[in-house]
Amino acid sequence: MRDMPRPIALALPVLLLAVCAAPAAAAPADDVSGGKYSIPVPPTVDVIDFNNPAKGCPGDAGNQYKIVGANPTLTAWTYANGTHRCIEVSYRPKVRKRCEFWFMTPGSEFRQYATGRITFHFEYTDPGSHPRDERVTVDERSESAVKLGEHSGVERIWFGDDTGQRYPTKIAWDVKGTAGGLTQVCTA
């Protein structure tokens, strides 16, 4: 370190500390060269049923979920709706090889919108060419960075508001921000 300019020499120990002190449960950051990909944000949100108060889907299609926050961070949320689906949120992975999938729950400023459980559905083809729909449930109240699983051939990951929970339970997902919603980590 003797030959380094003084500002760099002082910054180097801080940089090394920051790199070595990463939390174990944190979702990996985007690094396309290393096989880490944020799944495109925003996810697709399809309104399956609306203007159907008897089934818990009141109002027009635009009222089935809300977006809160301000750029560069936006979060969407909806009320859980028992066993009837009003909306469906889906993600399309970037690559189909064997990868880990991580979900980041919305940040602390949006925790009041993340009070329930989300059940993710993985649609993929197993090694025997059979279509599969595996389910993984995340409790947004207590988990922040969650490894959902590791699969190959994933075509779509989705969840709905039909979580078995009822009003006033809320489920939330990132639309835009540093958390990125879902992250796909693939080995090289």
Side-chain angles (χ1 to χ4, degrees):
M1 278 211 239
R2 184 176 296 158
D3 297 333
M4 287 187 204
R6 185 169 173 80
I8 293 174
L10 292 174
L12 188 58
V14 173
L15 177 62
L16 289 174
L17 179 62
V19 170
C20 295
D30 239 18
D31 175 10
V32 176
S33 64
K36 299 174 187 173
Y37 310 94
S38 288
I39 293 176
V41 175
T44 303
V45 181
D46 293 315
V47 176
I48 306 298
D49 192 3
F50 63 94
N51 204 14
N52 187 352
K55 293 290 187 174
C57 306
D60 62 21
N63 288 324
Q64 294 305 310
Y65 66 99
K66 306 287 184 209
I67 296 178
V68 294
N71 280 328
T73 304
L74 296 173
T75 293
W77 69 275
T78 190
Y79 287 110
N81 194 42
T83 58
H84 185 79
R85 187 176 314 146
C86 300
I87 67 163
E88 188 173 284
V89 180
S90 62
Y91 302 84
R92 298 274 178 189
K94 288 186 178 180
V95 296
R96 301 259 168 95
K97 63 182 186 175
R98 187 156 194 85
C99 301
E100 294 177 351
F101 294 91
W102 290 77
F103 177 69
M104 292 289 295
T105 58
S108 59
E109 67 271 31
F110 302 114
R111 296 307 272 175
Q112 72 268 27
Y113 304 108
T115 64
R117 294 178 311 276
I118 295 177
T119 299
F120 288 89
H121 296 252
F122 277 81
E123 291 179 357
Y124 67 98
T125 304
D126 71 14
S129 299
H130 301 99
R132 298 289 183 203
D133 178 3
E134 182 176 315
R135 297 171 188 186
V136 178
T137 300
V138 171
D139 187 340
E140 290 192 293
R141 296 167 294 188
S142 61
E143 300 173 283
S144 58
V146 181
K147 180 179 174 183
L148 297 176
E150 185 173 341
H151 298 288
S152 58
V154 176
E155 296 174 21
R156 183 171 83 117
I157 301 168
W158 66 274
F159 64 87
D161 57 347
D162 55 336
T163 62
Q165 304 160 106
R166 296 203 174 275
Y167 179 88
T169 301
K170 299 175 186 174
I171 55 175
W173 60 97
D174 282 331
V175 174
K176 183 178 181 183
T178 56
L182 278 184
T183 301
Q184 179 178 16
V185 181
C186 310
T187 55

